[in-house]
Amino acid sequence: MPGYNEDDWLAINTIRCLAPDMVNKANIGHPGAPMSLAAVSHVLFNKFMQFNPENPSWPNRDRFVLSNGHACALQYCLLHMFGYKLSMDDLKQFRQVDSITPGHPEKLDTPGIEVTTGPLGQGFGNAVGLAIAQKHSAAVYNKDGFELFNNHTYCIFGDGCAMEGVASEAASLAGHLQLGNLICIYDDNHISIDGDTAIAFTEDVLKRFEAYGWHTQWVEKGDDDLDAMEAAIQRAKDVTDKPSVIKLTTIIGFGSLKQGTHDVHGSPLKPDDLAQVKKKFGFNPEEFFVVPQKVYDNYGARSKAGAAVEQEWNKLFSSYGEKFSKEHSEIQRVLKKDLPEGWQKCLPTYKPSDPATATRKLSEAVLEAIHDAVPELLSGSADLTGSNNTRWKKATDFQPPSTGLGDWSGRYLRYGVREHGMGAIMNGLAAYGTVIPAAGTFLNFVSYAAGALRLSCLSHERVIWIATHDSIGLGEDGPTHQPIETLAHFRALPNIMVWRPADGNETSAAYYMAFTSKSTPSVLALTRQNLVHLENSVLEKAIKGGYVLHEDKEAQITIIATGSEVSIAVESVKTLKDQGIVARVVSMPCVEVFDAQDKDYRLSVLPDGIPILSFEAMSTLGWEKYSHEQFGLNRFGASGPYKKVYEKFEFTPEGVAKRAKATVDFWKDVKPIRSPINRAFTHVI
Amino acid sequence: MPGYNEDDWLAINTIRCLAPDMVNKANIGHPGAPMSLAAVSHVLFNKFMQFNPENPSWPNRDRFVLSNGHACALQYCLLHMFGYKLSMDDLKQFRQVDSITPGHPEKLDTPGIEVTTGPLGQGFGNAVGLAIAQKHSAAVYNKDGFELFNNHTYCIFGDGCAMEGVASEAASLAGHLQLGNLICIYDDNHISIDGDTAIAFTEDVLKRFEAYGWHTQWVEKGDDDLDAMEAAIQRAKDVTDKPSVIKLTTIIGFGSLKQGTHDVHGSPLKPDDLAQVKKKFGFNPEEFFVVPQKVYDNYGARSKAGAAVEQEWNKLFSSYGEKFSKEHSEIQRVLKKDLPEGWQKCLPTYKPSDPATATRKLSEAVLEAIHDAVPELLSGSADLTGSNNTRWKKATDFQPPSTGLGDWSGRYLRYGVREHGMGAIMNGLAAYGTVIPAAGTFLNFVSYAAGALRLSCLSHERVIWIATHDSIGLGEDGPTHQPIETLAHFRALPNIMVWRPADGNETSAAYYMAFTSKSTPSVLALTRQNLVHLENSVLEKAIKGGYVLHEDKEAQITIIATGSEVSIAVESVKTLKDQGIVARVVSMPCVEVFDAQDKDYRLSVLPDGIPILSFEAMSTLGWEKYSHEQFGLNRFGASGPYKKVYEKFEFTPEGVAKRAKATVDFWKDVKPIRSPINRAFTHVI
Ligand SMILES: [Ca+2]
Ligand SMILES: [Ca+2]
């Protein structure tokens, strides 16, 4: 093994001075971890990782995830020094509004950032997803002599990530899946924000990972012993049937007068401390933001070597194209996030005479119909396959072949009862670039994954949640399982589509939009109970998010409903007619998509002049945006057969008619009645 | 060790027949786990647990938590057979609307249910909380010769719970805390909903718990070997410096023709299968819902013994009262959830001239001021103590004395970076009955604990989240940490108070309500940044949830704001005045409490006749309920100094004035303008 020399230490010490410079200029941030992780990241980036800063989206690049995202000054330094499009000025703009160096790494802001991290544990889960995607892509696309996909995923995580359940879930699954392409470095610095980890975190982390089935190693001198780091990473690479974790014992804030204490975790160094750090590492304490040319040169050479590797890969990919043109164009297509020509013709369509069916079953019919046409779809469930109906009949499980339960090309992932881990893994799967992840759980338990879901939204990942048992309509499982707040929660997230289809055609519409919206995650809220197929529901209307299902020019009221409540609303029209009230009905499977339509359209659906009543069997919060009055459930549900539960809360045609009548009466004296579509001003975007 | 005889097997076999009878009558439910857990629960309830069915709230009873709550037919059978107020008719009403035997165990519905379980992993976390509360209460109240609190907490959990991150977090903390009073039984049946656990869950669970610092044992014959079960539980009791887990290998659906498969997990047995089960266990296949008198007699004797133990305890408690009258009355008080006379006089009050202060600091001032007066308060943080300001200066940590870091009487819990576990543990702490748990994290990461928070609401636990860094106002940490959807999410939950105080008096008001609302959890959303103390903010007004902060009879518009936005709204009044517009300002620290006021009051705050503009620096979703127009942030935030971030989104007096003017203009032509307080009908409750 080649030794390390002063050039290596120069690079490492550059980071140890540059990162705290960034934090000090911002006057806020985390210098400690960058200083102590400088050594291992130098070894990782300069000896192991393959990447080309000129093309951060080269498909077979090694992936790097900084799960302790608060240490991002480290990552920004590295990206700058290796030649990514991140200037010294960008480093100086650390944590400033509209800079490309925000307080935590965001993949949309900064070239070279693979996934958005910071919320602890998420990056670790993303890394597991990235590793799964690599394994899967290799199995699907690699051919003899054509190792298109063979990259590694490297992840650094700290004590915080190690304590988070989301990372535990992902680690357990990674062990089961024998992800030999995943190498994680645990920054064991004995410090978290509250001080010494002795106060709350005294478990044996390596033993825990062993219990998960990981290969484990310990590097005791994580700030000094570059050879040991290199040897450990190399051994980790050599172990191909297990994920690897390397416990790297470091001294947080290495070099600072306060090293080894939580004082260096989340605050700038004192000026005199920073000065002595620089002296200690051979830099001029009077100078700031310094990268010696030699470091640029050496790192530049490494990057150039990476560029050459990419060139080789490009040639390989070209000749692959000559032999395997179908796969070649498929890879090119999926990397652009395009869908296959005509795929949408596979989406099932229904007529009102078709038998009543639960939307979870209609969702299964979609998956059954499109899985051949859309090979990048990777489905799965958090141990509710039979309830979520997420698996097409001929699916193969994604499993280590040695288990005899499937293989790496399998397109069905058994996530186990690990919803949060599943969400973080899906973000990693989507970030890899060759996969569209979809996975199921009960809608109520998507909430367990709220931390991951909001990052799907923030980082624009096309992730699809197949969220069945979407309301009190699940019946007997009762209030512990019946969503009340859930849709309001998700609808309050930016950049999401929350679909609650009312029948077969709307379910197909939901999938159409979920697949074709390249930068937006979707939650499909689906029923356990059967629903009739509606007159006038067609995909072309449903993909507008809201549309008129039942029109009447004489209408005195508009009733908006979603999902299982739409057919009840339609029935209530007859009940109202008997009472001399004319109603029209709007189906609103996705408010976000409806919001994106032009105002004329929206006003044609929710016109001025008559009051609007919303009807959805859960929290009414947010429906005031579209309606004058709201019928819903602002309490927890009840355990019982679902029809009885619906009756208890008067979610019947008669119950709706009663509220509709009250609405018409109440608004009789107000003129003009304005549709809530009209707004005094538009929101800042 | 005494052996077991036919009486024991009669009781066990009764459960094995009675539980599937319940499921079959309901025609939906989970027979498998009750059948295989019948044996161990018999040993547990009949040999170990101390309880009195006549008084399910006897303070020193042993606690039992069925974390795999879907197996609740088991628990209902046991409660019935031991003589809790749960009749055979109640068992026959399993999973029916308004029965006391819902689909998952709910503490408010059923005598003898300690905590509401079903959402996987939660019960395990609750059990850790119950165990902590016992340790703490013992340390605070027990005296020489007066072991008032020495109960054990027993918890059964399955593969699902074992896979959930929330349980992993709680287990790691329980190991650190050396909770020798906690005994968990892991139902190792190799089956989860998707089939054999080999497909997704192949880790070594006992080794993982060892890594956490638990005492571990394995009972191989979990359906048969009663002696081994008893021995293991006894050994677990004997180990007093570690929590214990017993892996109990069972055959799911023991006795069924489908035993050992997932077919018996979540569906009724086929009638012929049920018949052969009964024959196999010596029951008449023609008869249903049978409990032999002998079983009632034996279990009744056990319950009677428990009642006698309670009687002894009551005597002990009486004589304790003679010696320690202060502690005695304190225990009586806290068990009633009452607060000490006059405690609220400790709450700080402020005047506008007091220095501007962050509400997180004002929250700290409250804790500092009241912690002596309210000894049942147990504070803590998920590793953000210095940021959440959750620790009063002289606090002692709750820690095993052997760590040298604190002791069992300590009132400050270092939860580690384990938000979801913290939420589940707090539910257990509150359920024990002697503690008011409060704990901190960033508001954004309360979302990690969404699964636990909704159970606080459902089971009426007085749990307090000290949720700091409550908006884009946290500044540089950026969008990954800035809540947008969070308050809308929580406000959509039933039975919660979401407080966002604007200054010192409102912060005191929030605490006043959080402590005095015995059956409602609270989330206190607190700023990182300093806020001025407002003219006209007083506790007496703020505890109404919303009130007029700045009145003007000539007002053309009402501006409602919360938290850090209130002072900006107040400033905008001047800006508007310069433009010839008269505005009044409403501060709305808690919409739920405002909703609970009578209509006259609410209309006095939000009157008819003029338009209302809401202003809150996050999702506007839900504000339509209180306002005609909404100013907020329906996108993710930005990383930067908070004032710059506020400017970016025009959250300035000028920005508010601009929207207020647009609102006045827009509503000019509508007459009459109705306050949204007016509704056509009231919601079902
Ligand atoms: Ca650390
Ligand atoms: Ca199981």
Side-chain angles (χ1 to χ4, degrees):
Chain A
M1 186 177 308
Y4 286 83
N5 61 32
E6 63 200 11
D7 284 357
D8 297 291
W9 288 110
L10 182 65
I12 292 165
N13 290 335
T14 300
I15 300 169
R16 286 170 172 168
C17 296
L18 185 56
D21 272 353
M22 290 173 63
V23 174
N24 277 45
K25 179 151 201 303
N27 200 25
I28 183 168
H30 303 78
M35 294 171 78
S36 53
L37 291 170
V40 76
S41 54
H42 169 77
V43 173
L44 198 55
F45 276 69
N46 207 43
K47 290 265 172 167
F48 289 99
M49 279 186 38
Q50 296 293 354
F51 54 88
N52 176 13
E54 298 292 318
N55 178 14
S57 56
W58 167 38
N60 196 39
R61 69 196 180 274
D62 284 331
R63 271 37 173 209
F64 174 74
V65 177
L66 188 73
S67 190
N68 49 341
H70 55 268
C72 58
L74 169 73
Q75 203 172 0
Y76 298 145
C77 288
L78 290 164
L79 293 172
H80 166 71
M81 290 157 66
F82 278 102
Y84 285 82
K85 289 200 173 39
L86 205 80
S87 69
M88 189 62 98
D89 278 343
D90 292 324
L91 298 189
K92 290 177 183 166
Q93 288 297 306
F94 183 45
R95 297 187 150 229
Q96 302 308 304
V97 169
D98 296 330
S99 78
I100 66 167
T101 46
H104 290 85
E106 296 192 46
K107 69 172 274 187
L108 301 176
D109 288 2
T110 318
I113 301 290
E114 302 286 354
V115 286
T116 298
T117 62
L120 294 171
Q122 299 291 339
F124 187 96
N126 301 160
V128 173
L130 288 163
I132 291 171
Q134 186 279 322
K135 279 271 182 213
H136 179 72
S137 302
V140 172
Y141 295 119
N142 288 2
K143 308 281 183 190
D144 266 359
F146 293 94
E147 280 244 323
L148 288 187
F149 297 100
N150 63 3
N151 74 279
H152 282 77
T153 298
Y154 297 96
C155 172
I156 296 182
F157 68 101
D159 292 303
C161 294
M163 283 187 257
E164 288 286 6
V166 56
S168 299
E169 292 175 11
S172 174
L173 184 60
H176 167 77
L177 292 174
Q178 304 174 17
L179 299 174
N181 57 345
L182 174 63
I183 296 170
C184 296
I185 295 166
Y186 162 43
D187 180 19
D188 170 50
N189 61 19
H190 292 273
I191 292 293
S192 65
I193 293 177
D194 270 15
D196 195 293
T197 52
I199 64 172
F201 188 51
T202 47
E203 63 170 64
D204 183 337
V205 175
L206 283 193
K207 186 171 181 178
R208 172 156 66 92
F209 275 77
E210 264 173 48
Y212 293 141
W214 287 54
H215 168 249
T216 66
Q217 298 177 79
W218 182 23
V219 172
E220 291 186 53
K221 295 183 179 173
D223 295 290
D224 302 304
D225 195 346
L226 304 180
D227 291 318
M229 295 175 214
E230 180 175 339
I233 297 171
Q234 187 57 53
R235 269 194 300 270
K237 285 187 73 173
D238 294 344
V239 173
T240 59
D241 62 347
K242 286 179 176 187
S244 283
V245 62
I246 299 165
K247 177 164 107 168
L248 185 82
T249 299
T250 67
I251 296 166
I252 191 168
F254 186 80
S256 159
L257 296 170
K258 302 264 187 161
Q259 70 175 26
T261 76
H262 84 284
D263 293 337
V264 290
H265 166 80
S267 318
L269 301 188
K270 295 257 158 24
D272 58 333
D273 190 8
L274 183 56
Q276 71 81 28
V277 164
K278 292 192 177 171
K279 265 193 233 167
K280 193 176 284 173
F281 294 130
F283 283 75
N284 181 346
E286 311 279 301
E287 289 177 2
F288 299 88
F289 291 94
V290 172
V291 178
Q293 188 58 41
K294 189 149 204 186
V295 174
Y296 280 132
D297 292 346
N298 288 337
Y299 275 11
R302 174 79 192 161
S303 294
K304 218 165 164 184
V309 175
E310 189 201 342
Q311 273 311 105
E312 283 304 305
W313 188 91
N314 288 338
K315 277 186 218 154
L316 185 76
F317 189 50
S318 272
S319 49
Y320 178 90
E322 286 157 24
K323 280 201 168 181
F324 310 102
S325 74
K326 181 182 154 286
E327 288 85 347
H328 184 266
S329 42
E330 186 173 298
I331 293 169
Q332 289 185 308
R333 176 181 64 72
V334 298
L335 288 172
K336 282 185 286 182
K337 297 194 177 187
D338 287 343
L339 288 157
E341 194 81 32
W343 75 280
Q344 73 277 12
K345 289 177 198 146
C346 302
L347 289 167
T349 57
Y350 299 87
K351 41 188 195 316
S353 58
D354 288 328
T357 312
T359 49
R360 63 176 171 144
K361 292 294 290 180
L362 295 161
S363 161
E364 183 179 45
V366 170
L367 298 174
E368 199 63 68
I370 67 167
H371 75 266
D372 270 339
V374 187
E376 62 268 42
L377 168 63
L378 189 68
S379 189
S381 166
D383 194 47
L384 285 168
T385 297
S387 302
N388 301 144
N389 304 100
T390 33
R391 192 169 193 269
W392 51 90
K393 281 194 196 71
K394 291 185 179 165
T396 299
D397 279 8
F398 177 85
Q399 294 278 3
S402 67
T403 60
L405 299 169
D407 60 49
W408 298 125
S409 74
R411 293 170 54 196
Y412 194 77
L413 240 159
R414 305 283 186 171
Y415 286 97
V417 190
R418 303 179 178 106
E419 298 82 5
H420 202 176
M422 181 165 84
I425 288 170
M426 284 207 285
N427 286 337
L429 286 170
Y432 191 79
T434 55
V435 160
I436 300 176
T441 185
F442 289 170
L443 177 60
N444 193 52
F445 301 114
V446 182
S447 302
Y448 271 37
L453 180 61
R454 91 183 301 272
L455 288 175
S456 309
C457 300
L458 177 58
S459 56
H460 292 199
E461 302 297 3
R462 179 171 48 176
V463 154
I464 302 170
W465 284 86
I466 300 172
T468 70
H469 296 62
D470 73 341
S471 77
I472 54 164
L474 63 82
E476 288 86 347
D477 273 348
T480 55
H481 286 53
Q482 293 166 345
I484 299 296
E485 77 286 8
T486 319
L487 295 189
H489 169 195
F490 298 159
R491 286 173 182 146
L493 277 162
N495 189 39
I496 194 171
M497 291 186 294
V498 182
W499 284 90
R500 190 166 187 249
D503 71 354
N505 292 329
E506 290 194 3
T507 303
S508 289
Y511 271 98
Y512 177 81
M513 292 301 291
F515 276 84
T516 54
S517 303
K518 296 180 178 184
S519 309
T520 303
S522 301
V523 175
L524 314 186
L526 304 169
T527 64
R528 173 174 181 256
Q529 73 272 31
N530 287 340
L531 303 181
V532 298
H533 297 279
L534 299 162
E535 201 88 49
N536 295 325
S537 95
V538 290
L539 184 140
E540 291 70 22
K541 292 185 194 170
I543 60 175
K544 300 197 166 187
Y547 64 100
V548 182
L549 191 74
H550 171 77
E551 187 56 284
D552 195 317
K553 298 287 170 216
E554 307 298 314
Q556 296 153 274
I557 185 168
T558 298
I559 303 172
I560 322 179
T562 76
S564 43
E565 281 72 87
V566 178
S567 58
I568 301 173
V570 170
E571 277 193 70
S572 77
V573 172
K574 291 172 227 150
T575 315
L576 281 163
K577 201 173 176 190
D578 294 343
Q579 298 171 27
I581 294 172
V582 181
R584 59 198 288 281
V585 177
V586 165
S587 182
M588 184 81 86
C590 181
V591 295
E592 295 88 355
V593 170
F594 179 70
D595 286 348
Q597 307 304 318
D598 65 48
K599 191 178 172 190
D600 283 352
Y601 177 76
R602 283 180 289 134
L603 271 177
S604 75
V605 175
L606 300 178
D608 291 320
I610 57 173
I612 303 167
L613 172 70
S614 73
F615 174 35
E616 186 172 64
M618 47 192 84
S619 171
T620 56
L621 198 90
W623 277 109
E624 300 89 352
K625 185 173 171 190
Y626 305 97
S627 61
H628 299 87
E629 304 293 333
Q630 299 78 34
F631 186 30
L633 192 63
N634 293 314
R635 51 157 281 172
F636 287 106
S639 169
Y642 90 87
K643 285 185 182 167
K644 299 277 184 196
V645 176
Y646 264 65
E647 281 165 20
K648 178 181 172 72
F649 298 119
E650 302 180 27
F651 295 146
T652 58
E654 296 69 34
V656 177
K658 185 172 143 194
R659 274 80 184 176
K661 186 170 184 311
T663 300
V664 170
D665 289 348
F666 187 73
W667 285 86
K668 206 167 281 175
D669 301 330
V670 179
K671 287 195 177 77
I673 296 172
R674 268 215 302 222
S675 168
I677 294 302
N678 304 291
R679 297 280 162 178
F681 55 88
T682 54
H683 289 128
V684 175
I685 292 176
Chain B
M1 185 179 307
Y4 286 83
N5 62 33
E6 61 200 11
D7 284 356
D8 296 290
W9 289 109
L10 182 64
I12 292 166
N13 291 334
T14 299
I15 299 169
R16 286 169 172 170
C17 297
L18 185 56
D21 271 352
M22 291 173 63
V23 175
N24 277 45
K25 179 150 200 304
N27 200 26
I28 184 168
H30 303 78
M35 293 171 78
S36 53
L37 292 170
V40 76
S41 54
H42 169 76
V43 173
L44 198 56
F45 276 68
N46 207 43
K47 291 265 172 169
F48 289 98
M49 279 183 44
Q50 296 292 356
F51 54 88
N52 175 13
E54 298 292 319
N55 180 14
S57 57
W58 168 38
N60 196 37
R61 69 195 180 275
D62 285 331
R63 274 31 175 212
F64 174 74
V65 177
L66 187 72
S67 189
N68 49 343
H70 55 268
C72 58
L74 169 74
Q75 204 172 358
Y76 298 146
C77 287
L78 290 163
L79 293 172
H80 166 70
M81 289 157 66
F82 277 101
Y84 284 83
K85 287 199 176 39
L86 207 80
S87 69
M88 189 62 96
D89 278 343
D90 291 325
L91 299 189
K92 290 178 183 166
Q93 289 298 306
F94 183 45
R95 296 186 151 231
Q96 303 307 305
V97 170
D98 296 331
S99 79
I100 66 168
T101 46
H104 290 86
E106 295 191 47
K107 71 174 272 190
L108 300 176
D109 288 2
T110 317
I113 301 290
E114 302 286 354
V115 287
T116 298
T117 62
L120 294 172
Q122 299 291 338
F124 187 96
N126 300 161
V128 173
L130 288 163
I132 291 171
Q134 185 279 321
K135 280 271 183 215
H136 179 72
S137 302
V140 173
Y141 294 118
N142 287 2
K143 308 279 182 190
D144 267 357
F146 293 93
E147 280 244 322
L148 289 187
F149 297 99
N150 63 4
N151 72 279
H152 282 78
T153 298
Y154 298 96
C155 172
I156 296 181
F157 69 102
D159 293 303
C161 294
M163 284 187 256
E164 289 285 7
V166 57
S168 298
E169 291 175 13
S172 174
L173 184 60
H176 168 76
L177 291 175
Q178 305 173 17
L179 299 175
N181 57 347
L182 174 62
I183 297 171
C184 296
I185 295 166
Y186 163 43
D187 180 20
D188 171 49
N189 61 19
H190 291 273
I191 292 294
S192 67
I193 292 178
D194 271 14
D196 195 294
T197 51
I199 64 172
F201 188 52
T202 46
E203 63 171 63
D204 182 338
V205 175
L206 283 194
K207 185 171 180 177
R208 172 156 66 90
F209 275 78
E210 264 173 47
Y212 292 141
W214 286 54
H215 168 249
T216 66
Q217 300 178 78
W218 181 23
V219 173
E220 292 187 50
K221 293 182 181 172
D223 296 291
D224 300 305
D225 195 346
L226 305 179
D227 290 318
M229 295 175 213
E230 180 174 339
I233 297 170
Q234 188 55 54
R235 269 193 301 269
K237 284 187 72 172
D238 294 343
V239 172
T240 59
D241 63 346
K242 286 179 175 185
S244 283
V245 61
I246 300 165
K247 176 164 107 169
L248 185 81
T249 300
T250 66
I251 296 168
I252 190 169
F254 186 79
S256 158
L257 296 170
K258 303 264 188 159
Q259 71 175 26
T261 75
H262 83 285
D263 293 338
V264 291
H265 166 79
S267 318
L269 301 188
K270 294 261 161 16
D272 60 332
D273 190 6
L274 182 57
Q276 72 81 29
V277 164
K278 292 193 176 170
K279 265 191 233 170
K280 193 178 282 173
F281 293 130
F283 283 73
N284 180 347
E286 312 279 301
E287 289 177 4
F288 301 88
F289 291 94
V290 171
V291 177
Q293 189 55 43
K294 190 149 205 184
V295 175
Y296 279 133
D297 292 347
N298 288 338
Y299 276 10
R302 174 78 192 163
S303 295
K304 217 165 163 181
V309 175
E310 190 201 341
Q311 272 311 104
E312 281 305 306
W313 188 91
N314 289 337
K315 276 185 219 155
L316 185 78
F317 189 50
S318 272
S319 48
Y320 178 90
E322 285 157 26
K323 282 201 166 181
F324 310 103
S325 75
K326 182 181 153 288
E327 287 86 348
H328 184 265
S329 44
E330 186 172 299
I331 293 169
Q332 289 185 308
R333 176 182 64 71
V334 297
L335 288 173
K336 281 185 286 183
K337 298 193 177 189
D338 286 343
L339 289 157
E341 194 81 31
W343 75 281
Q344 72 276 10
K345 290 179 199 146
C346 304
L347 289 167
T349 56
Y350 299 88
K351 44 189 191 312
S353 57
D354 289 327
T357 312
T359 48
R360 62 175 171 145
K361 293 294 291 179
L362 295 162
S363 162
E364 183 178 46
V366 170
L367 297 174
E368 200 63 69
I370 67 168
H371 74 267
D372 271 339
V374 187
E376 62 268 42
L377 169 63
L378 189 67
S379 190
S381 166
D383 193 47
L384 285 168
T385 297
S387 302
N388 301 143
N389 304 101
T390 33
R391 193 170 193 270
W392 51 91
K393 281 194 196 72
K394 292 187 176 163
T396 300
D397 280 7
F398 177 86
Q399 294 277 5
S402 65
T403 60
L405 299 168
D407 60 49
W408 298 125
S409 75
R411 292 170 54 196
Y412 195 76
L413 240 158
R414 305 282 186 171
Y415 286 97
V417 190
R418 304 180 179 106
E419 298 84 3
H420 201 176
M422 181 165 84
I425 289 169
M426 284 206 285
N427 286 337
L429 286 169
Y432 191 80
T434 55
V435 160
I436 301 177
T441 184
F442 289 170
L443 177 59
N444 193 51
F445 301 114
V446 183
S447 301
Y448 271 38
L453 180 60
R454 92 184 299 274
L455 287 176
S456 310
C457 301
L458 177 58
S459 55
H460 292 199
E461 301 298 2
R462 180 171 48 175
V463 155
I464 301 170
W465 285 86
I466 300 172
T468 69
H469 296 63
D470 73 340
S471 77
I472 55 165
L474 62 83
E476 289 86 347
D477 272 348
T480 56
H481 286 53
Q482 292 165 346
I484 300 296
E485 77 286 8
T486 318
L487 296 190
H489 169 194
F490 299 159
R491 287 172 181 149
L493 277 163
N495 190 39
I496 195 172
M497 290 187 294
V498 182
W499 285 91
R500 191 166 188 252
D503 72 354
N505 292 330
E506 290 195 5
T507 303
S508 289
Y511 271 98
Y512 177 81
M513 291 301 290
F515 275 85
T516 54
S517 303
K518 297 181 178 182
S519 309
T520 303
S522 301
V523 175
L524 314 185
L526 304 169
T527 64
R528 172 175 183 256
Q529 73 271 31
N530 288 340
L531 303 181
V532 298
H533 296 278
L534 299 161
E535 202 86 52
N536 296 323
S537 97
V538 291
L539 184 140
E540 291 69 21
K541 290 183 192 171
I543 59 173
K544 299 197 167 190
Y547 63 100
V548 182
L549 191 74
H550 171 77
E551 188 55 283
D552 196 316
K553 297 287 169 214
E554 307 298 312
Q556 297 153 272
I557 184 168
T558 298
I559 303 173
I560 322 178
T562 77
S564 42
E565 282 73 86
V566 177
S567 58
I568 301 172
V570 169
E571 278 192 68
S572 77
V573 170
K574 293 172 227 148
T575 315
L576 281 163
K577 201 174 177 187
D578 293 344
Q579 299 171 27
I581 294 173
V582 180
R584 59 199 288 279
V585 177
V586 166
S587 181
M588 184 81 84
C590 182
V591 294
E592 295 87 357
V593 170
F594 180 70
D595 287 348
Q597 307 305 317
D598 65 48
K599 192 178 171 189
D600 283 352
Y601 177 76
R602 284 179 288 137
L603 271 177
S604 76
V605 176
L606 300 177
D608 291 319
I610 55 173
I612 303 167
L613 172 70
S614 73
F615 174 36
E616 187 172 63
M618 46 193 85
S619 172
T620 56
L621 198 89
W623 277 109
E624 300 89 353
K625 184 174 170 188
Y626 306 97
S627 61
H628 299 89
E629 305 293 331
Q630 299 78 36
F631 186 31
L633 193 63
N634 293 312
R635 52 156 282 171
F636 287 105
S639 170
Y642 90 87
K643 284 183 183 170
K644 299 275 185 198
V645 176
Y646 264 66
E647 281 164 20
K648 177 181 171 74
F649 299 119
E650 302 178 29
F651 296 146
T652 58
E654 296 70 32
V656 176
K658 184 171 142 194
R659 273 79 184 177
K661 185 170 185 314
T663 299
V664 170
D665 289 348
F666 186 73
W667 286 86
K668 206 168 281 174
D669 301 331
V670 179
K671 285 197 178 79
I673 296 173
R674 269 215 300 224
S675 167
I677 294 301
N678 303 292
R679 296 282 162 176
F681 55 86
T682 53
H683 290 129
V684 176
I685 292 176

